[in-house]
Amino acid sequence: MSKVPVKRAAHPRIGVVGLGYVGLPLAVEFGHVHPTLGFDINEARVAALRRGRDSTLEVTSAELKAAAKLEYSSDPKELKRCNFFVITVPTPIDQYKRPDLTPLEKASETVGKVMTKGSIVVYESTVYPGCTEEICVPILERASGLRFNVDFFVGYSPERINPGDKQHRLTTIVKITSGSTPEVAERVDDVYRSIIKAGTHRASSIRVAEAAKVIENTQRDVNIALINELALIFKRLGIDTEEVLKAAGTKWNFLPFRPGLVGGHCIGVDPYYLTHKAQEIGYHPEMILAGRRINDNMGLYVAGEIVKLLSDNRLPVKGARVLVLGLTFKENCPDLRNSKVVDVVRELDRYGARVDIHDPWITATAARHEYGLDLVSKPRAGTYDAIVIAVAHDAFRTMGLPAIKRLAKRRHVVYDIKHLFPASRTDARL
């Protein structure tokens, strides 16, 4: 049985499958150097990119235009031109907090149907250790009729995209790479080094690379959960959490985490991939799941605090007009995925409040599609009993607290989740 040699061609023909927050910046960078096809099943997304418009705002029109070797398609047959595939589809969780591998499995099947002998398939989607070889490889084999590590090969290079971050970009972040054989690992590393200015770190195996990715955000999740729990304690003690953290932060090795709502496509999701695998092998991960419980319940806690604040100020709860400023999962980006602000909105609604939402970073269509929520484009002055500053968009900081308060009635309360303004100028904050 002879193996197909792993060709070290100077110019691989790259196919990037999935053109979201991860895939598009990758396709653009590859498109500067190698013939690249950006593939997405969303025809409207592909059409917009061809017009030079990225709805995620991660890539500018000028950057799209500069990627001279990049083409776009929603026709999977076009992928037949490629021999180096990179799969960058979402890996969400379902309603029971279990990994939902459906997008990954469908993408693997799509690639399997078009790949030929000698092809390399690299996964960037966040998964648990072992997923690439245990779940994805069998799908590639069935769809292609080819043999793993004989006719085709795989790699894993976890994404490290931070939506909305204009400082830490794809090319300036060290890239972890790996491959299913030593030769493939070297080949995968070569391809990524052609675009990553910060350099690469070649892991010893695919499983090591998978594990490294999933613990990056698990570590952050656990640390934020600790600070959130401290905030709950300090609230009962009548101590301002921000003041405590500033004081503790004068020590050189104190970690600068802050309390908040933990959502998004990574920190609020990735730990469940690791805990799923841990439980599958018979280990119950107590600390990780405890952190998840704390962070998942912070939206309900915040809503309860807002209700108490209204009551303490002798303002009605049922029928109260509440303005929530911000719906995205983080500041200065249009990413709505797994936003925990939604938990605050829905809990306030259950208390009988009438909640308006204003967010200049997203469209009304996006909010309605993602959560069935309507936006207010221009909140009316003198309307609200309570204002909740939920996301630290620069637009709200620039607007300033006096202008924000003018949107409220004469008697009102302001709850600042993100500590955007000094504690002395708001009624309460997380």
Side-chain angles (χ1 to χ4, degrees):
M1 183 171 63
S2 62
K3 292 186 178 181
V4 174
V6 182
K7 297 180 181 179
R8 299 182 63 79
H11 296 288
R13 300 184 303 278
I14 296 175
V16 177
V17 179
L19 297 176
Y21 284 87
V22 174
L24 181 62
L26 186 69
V28 168
E29 292 301 330
F30 275 138
H32 290 305
V33 183
H34 308 290
T36 303
L37 177 67
F39 171 81
D40 201 288
I41 59 174
N42 186 334
E43 295 180 2
R45 171 72 166 160
V46 170
L49 291 173
R50 285 173 175 164
R51 295 193 302 268
R53 168 67 178 165
D54 170 28
S55 60
T56 70
L57 305 182
E58 290 298 303
V59 181
T60 66
S61 296
E63 289 170 332
L64 290 173
K65 186 177 181 180
K69 297 183 178 182
L70 173 60
E71 300 177 40
Y72 305 99
S73 180
S74 57
D75 183 357
K77 294 178 182 178
E78 294 290 331
L79 288 167
K80 290 182 178 180
R81 292 185 271 155
C82 305
N83 57 17
F84 190 101
F85 302 90
V86 186
I87 294 180
T88 61
V89 296
T91 44
I93 53 176
D94 65 18
Q95 61 179 325
Y96 303 108
K97 312 295 186 184
R98 298 175 306 196
D100 179 2
L101 298 176
T102 304
L104 196 66
E105 292 168 345
K106 289 183 176 179
S108 297
E109 186 174 0
T110 296
V111 170
K113 288 178 178 178
V114 299
M115 71 183 190
T116 56
K117 287 187 177 182
S119 292
I120 296 175
V121 184
V122 179
Y123 291 85
E124 290 212 3
S125 307
T126 300
V127 293
Y128 52 78
C131 183
T132 299
E133 291 156 298
E134 295 167 7
I135 303 296
C136 301
V137 165
I139 295 173
L140 292 172
E141 287 186 313
R142 286 196 301 269
S144 67
L146 302 176
R147 295 163 296 175
F148 175 49
N149 275 347
V150 176
D151 302 316
F152 75 93
F153 310 87
V154 301
Y156 185 77
S157 181
E159 61 89 3
R160 281 175 164 171
I161 295 295
N162 186 25
D165 190 337
K166 301 306 179 184
Q167 179 180 357
H168 302 99
R169 307 297 298 273
L170 171 66
T171 60
T172 63
I173 303 171
V174 173
K175 198 85 165 70
I176 298 173
T177 66
S178 64
S180 55
T181 71
E183 295 79 15
V184 169
E186 188 175 352
R187 177 70 182 123
V188 170
D189 198 67
D190 283 347
V191 172
Y192 277 104
R193 276 193 289 111
S194 69
I195 63 169
I196 304 297
K197 298 174 184 177
T200 59
H201 175 92
R202 195 188 313 173
S204 62
S205 69
I206 288 174
R207 289 166 64 88
V208 167
E210 291 169 326
K213 167 57 181 174
V214 81
I215 71 164
E216 289 176 8
N217 288 315
T218 300
Q219 182 188 66
R220 289 186 58 80
D221 191 44
V222 171
N223 275 288
I224 296 170
L226 170 62
I227 301 302
N228 274 337
E229 187 164 59
L230 292 175
L232 302 183
I233 294 170
F234 294 147
K235 172 70 176 179
R236 287 163 172 78
L237 292 173
I239 302 172
D240 185 84
T241 302
E242 180 72 8
E243 290 187 21
V244 174
L245 294 176
K246 284 182 178 178
T250 58
K251 188 180 180 186
W252 72 91
N253 60 353
F254 185 82
L255 301 178
F257 288 94
R258 290 295 184 270
L261 304 177
V262 184
H265 67 297
C266 287
I267 300 179
V269 173
D270 293 359
Y272 286 119
Y273 275 75
L274 183 57
T275 57
H276 167 81
K277 188 63 177 180
Q279 290 170 325
E280 191 177 76
I281 60 174
Y283 179 79
H284 182 70
E286 296 184 26
M287 180 179 289
I288 299 171
L289 287 175
R292 279 282 74 233
R293 285 193 296 273
I294 292 170
N295 287 342
D296 271 347
N297 284 314
M298 288 306 292
L300 304 184
Y301 168 79
V302 166
E305 288 297 293
I306 294 165
V307 167
K308 290 177 185 176
L309 191 62
L310 285 166
S311 180
D312 289 345
N313 285 272
R314 298 183 179 179
L315 293 168
V317 175
K318 189 174 181 62
R321 296 296 305 274
V322 180
L323 176 64
V324 174
L325 295 176
L327 186 62
T328 60
F329 92 88
K330 64 177 293 188
E331 65 275 6
N332 303 325
C333 81
D335 196 343
L336 282 169
R337 291 173 295 175
N338 194 33
S339 171
K340 293 303 178 181
V341 178
V342 175
D343 293 350
V344 178
V345 171
R346 289 179 173 159
E347 187 69 3
L348 289 172
D349 183 69
R350 279 191 282 268
Y351 275 106
R354 298 167 57 194
V355 183
D356 286 347
I357 307 164
H358 173 65
D359 193 320
W361 275 89
I362 56 176
T363 65
T365 301
R368 198 173 300 115
H369 175 267
E370 193 75 19
Y371 298 110
L373 296 173
D374 292 318
L375 296 183
V376 174
S377 58
K378 292 184 179 179
R380 291 176 55 189
T383 300
Y384 300 100
D385 300 290
I387 295 178
V388 182
I389 303 168
V391 184
H393 290 319
D394 287 344
F396 299 149
R397 192 188 308 273
T398 301
M399 185 178 180
L401 194 55
I404 290 173
K405 287 186 174 183
R406 282 197 289 272
L407 300 173
K409 298 175 182 176
R410 185 178 62 83
R411 292 185 60 241
H412 65 270
V413 294
V414 176
Y415 191 97
D416 186 1
I417 295 177
K418 297 299 294 184
H419 296 205
L420 198 61
F421 301 105
S424 60
R425 298 179 62 198
T426 59
D427 296 286
R429 56 184 186 172
L430 184 59

